[in-house]
Amino acid sequence: EPVWAIGTGKVATPEQAEETQKAIRAYLSQAVSSAVAEKVRIQYGGSVNPENCAELIKQPNIDGFLVGGASLKPSFMDIISAVGPSKMVEVWPAYASKMEKEGCNQAAIDAFKYNFGVLSSGADVMLPESKLDPVESLPTYEKLKVKPDARLLKKTLILKLNGGLGTGMGLDKAKSLLEVTGGNTFLDLIAKQVANMKKEFKTDLKFMLMNSFATSADTLEALKKYTDLGTGSDLEFVQNK
């Protein structure tokens, strides 16, 4: 990338980028050999985006890109699709159409597109154990020297994940609606636990559920009797389909 383009917002033209890439290959040919120069892949590290990548990759001495900030955006998959063979080009329109018909918002569609693009690209997304550092030690609860302060509950939110269906348990609704003891479901026990904490510590403890489109209606219906918990958007936020 040209020095005058680094951090300035200015972007080199495909011709300017090609001029530099060509000079690098010419140097390799002279310093090493023409055979090596032809085999070396030279990547362009400028401001690559979905709008300029197609023209840049057409240049004979640009073999690929070092993508910076654009790699953190959903549109990164548009760069990959434009530059090389990708299943995304063939299959994505069908997925996009289905999500749009289901009323998914653009943020959800973009997020799914990015993740699906990584999956279909064949990229290795696993972290092998060899790359993980083991935890050497952890403090035990009994050794923590902390003084309880109930006033902190005013700044606390209890958030429960509640998006899974209990299909493996023979249910067609949220698994938290499974009865566990004395006629109480998991949700009943959670609601009573929150109510007890509010009473014991005399504070308006906040509580929310992260529901899915498949669990929202059943969950809200089951919790209607616990009026102190809240209702609607005060009680839940819903994951996208």
Side-chain angles (χ1 to χ4, degrees), residues 8 90 105 114 133 160:
T8 64
E90 300 175 11
N105 61 44
Y114 176 82
D133 295 325
K160 296 286 187 179

Side-chain angles (χ1 to χ4, degrees), residues 33-191:
S33 70
S34 57
V36 169
E38 286 300 316
K39 291 180 180 180
V40 169
R41 292 179 57 82
I42 304 177
Q43 295 181 327
Y44 178 63
S47 299
V48 180
N49 56 54
E51 287 70 41
N52 64 16
C53 63
E55 288 302 315
L56 283 167
I57 202 64
K58 288 179 182 178
Q59 306 305 313
N61 288 288
I62 297 180
D63 299 317
F65 303 123
L66 175 63
V67 184
S71 66
L72 303 176
K73 302 176 182 178
S75 59
F76 179 47
M77 299 316 304
D78 295 329
I79 298 176
I80 294 176
S81 298
V83 169
S86 172
K87 293 180 182 178
M88 283 288 288
V89 176
E90 300 175 11
V91 303
W92 175 247
Y95 283 90
S97 176
K98 184 175 182 180
M99 295 181 76
E100 289 167 0
K101 288 179 181 178
E102 288 292 326
C104 295
N105 61 44
Q106 192 58 48
I109 294 174
D110 288 344
F112 181 84
K113 182 179 182 182
Y114 176 82
N115 290 316
F116 182 70
V118 173
L119 178 66
S120 62
S121 72
D124 184 3
V125 296
M126 302 298 291
L127 282 175
E129 190 174 347
S130 59
K131 290 188 176 295
L132 301 177
D133 295 325
V135 177
E136 295 182 359
S137 64
L138 286 173
T140 60
Y141 176 77
E142 291 75 15
K143 293 182 179 180
L144 291 177
K145 296 181 179 180
V146 180
K147 184 179 179 180
D149 187 353
R151 292 176 301 176
L152 295 175
L153 291 176
K154 293 181 179 180
K155 302 178 180 180
T156 301
L157 168 69
I158 295 179
L159 175 63
K160 296 286 187 179
L161 308 185
N162 190 52
L165 292 175
T167 50
M169 307 171 191
L171 299 175
D172 58 357
K173 52 189 176 183
K175 63 182 68 174
S176 57
L177 292 173
L178 183 68
E179 186 175 319
V180 284
T181 182
N184 291 301
T185 66
F186 283 111
L187 274 180
D188 287 322
L189 296 177
I190 291 170

Side-chain angles (χ1 to χ4, degrees), residues 21-40 42 61:
Q21 306 282 107
K22 184 178 180 181
I24 293 172
R25 202 176 301 278
Y27 170 78
L28 289 172
S29 180
Q30 181 180 3
V32 188
S33 70
S34 57
V36 169
E38 286 300 316
K39 291 180 180 180
V40 169
I42 304 177
N61 288 288

